[in-house]
Amino acid sequence: MQKKVFVFFPDGVGLRNFAFTNFKTIGTNMGFDITYWNNTIFSLQDNLGFKEVKIKNTQQHPLTPLYSRARKRCELNVSRDKFKDAVYPTYKFPFNYNGLKNIAKSIFIKGLIGLHSSEKGIKKLRKKINTLERKNPKYAYCKAQLQEHKPDLVFCTTQRATQSISALLAAQDLGIPTVTFVYSWDNVPKAMQVVETDYYCVWSKHMKNEMLQYYPFVKAEQIFVTGTPQFEPHYNEALKIPKVEFFKRQGLDVDKKYICYSGDDETTSPLDQYYLEDLAHVVRRLNGKGYNLGIIYRKCPVDFTPRYNAVINAYKDVITVIDPIWKQVGDQWNQVLPAKEDFEMLYNVCEHSEFVTNVCSSTVFDFVVHNKPCIYYNYEQPQLKKGIRDIGQNYNYVHFRSMPSKEAAIFCTDKRDLEGLVTSILDGNLSNVEEGKKWYQTIAGETPKEASLNIWKAINAILNNS
């Protein structure tokens, strides 16, 4: 008898991994009956022909976001004290004191933090959040859907969405096994484990060790090392477009060598446009010395600020904009959803660029799969002033400690060094690819091509044991 699996999208961030890859095809071929339990405004049935059950109730208990923010800060406080490490407070976003309502919320959250910044206190907060969400009308709504459709397992595509709590509690209370996928490479030390499920799928042994380190309530037997579908498309050579054809489509000059500038979101790199300007200035100068270079600017998909426009307009002779193929279907960052066509676009930008430059992005791994180097900017801009976040703190974050060596990326720590680094890469004298691949294996696991298959194998093992 076929086992019915609900693939649960609490928000849109999992679409890229679990709707647009071969994830469903692999599961179907293994004999699973797959239904997408869809809490997003993107219709999988209308757009992809997938069987889905829509969750039309998107309520949360009004106190859940406040308790969740307190829970995160308490976990970071515990990590700070437990590991005697000052990095954890840098993960915190500042409190909002604009207006009476925000002042009241901030005071309430700070009160919770004062009372619960211990492992016992965190347990109380998690228990309170669950109590609140069982009172949320969405809990009864989701429970009724589960009782009607009777899935054998619920697989949640991200661990960090408060929208998922009531639905997963409903499944657990009905005795349905729940599994969640840890979405991003930096999520565990940043205290982004919003949900508690019966099992967890993680990218690598490194991430499994992090889960055990930060979450004492999770046991080793609950964790499956699977990899992430995020990088699987880079191994699909059917996506490759011949260089001449790709350049023609994108208005690129086939005689030029292109450097990819991968943009960041405004929170991570608030002065990101000036690093693009620095690169454009170097490229223009090198072209005057006999090189024939251009820049492909690929923005961060969730960045809709106009902050790059002046630089792009000033350097039209060297910068070509190739936007990621994502669609904004709502006003929240997690309602900017990828199109399947972006897999092909990203594959070919990686394949046909000489290397990538950015501020601390995981695109280092996308490019290293294609044997392309990466420069990380790590110097202050003169525009930095009080109230603007310095990008330097990004490289102090815990997930950067996973680098096997400092050579896993090429760090530009002084703007004056950028031209030399660029020419050294172009001339074949500098690369981080060898060490970068070691880092990639640490982060993405030993079988990055088989992540989707590994997740289905984990689901199969859970169902057999259940």
Side-chain angles (χ1 to χ4, degrees), residues 3 151-154 175-179 198-199 224 458-466:
K3 294 289 187 180
D152 296 292
L153 180 143
V154 174
I176 300 168
T178 57
V179 190
D198 302 305
Y199 301 95
F224 290 84
I459 289 170
N460 192 52
I462 292 164
L463 288 169
N464 287 338
N465 289 336
S466 298

Side-chain angles (χ1 to χ4, degrees), residues 235-305:
Y235 299 98
N236 181 5
E237 292 191 2
L239 295 175
K240 185 175 180 178
I241 301 170
K243 180 177 178 179
V244 172
E245 182 182 341
F246 180 70
F247 275 38
K248 184 177 180 181
R249 286 188 197 179
Q250 302 304 326
L252 302 171
D253 183 344
V254 75
D255 295 320
K256 283 185 178 179
K257 291 183 176 181
Y258 283 88
I259 301 163
C260 177
Y261 185 94
S262 178
D264 250 305
D265 63 90
E266 195 170 21
T267 300
T268 303
S269 183
L271 300 174
D272 206 60
Q273 65 272 30
Y274 298 112
Y275 296 99
L276 174 60
E277 184 175 38
D278 292 344
L279 179 63
H281 185 65
V282 164
V283 165
R284 191 180 273 176
R285 197 161 58 233
L286 287 174
N287 285 344
K289 295 179 180 180
Y291 286 85
N292 192 12
L293 305 175
I295 297 169
I296 292 172
Y297 165 62
R298 177 180 163 94
K299 74 175 186 178
C300 172
V302 296
D303 185 358
F304 291 95
T305 64

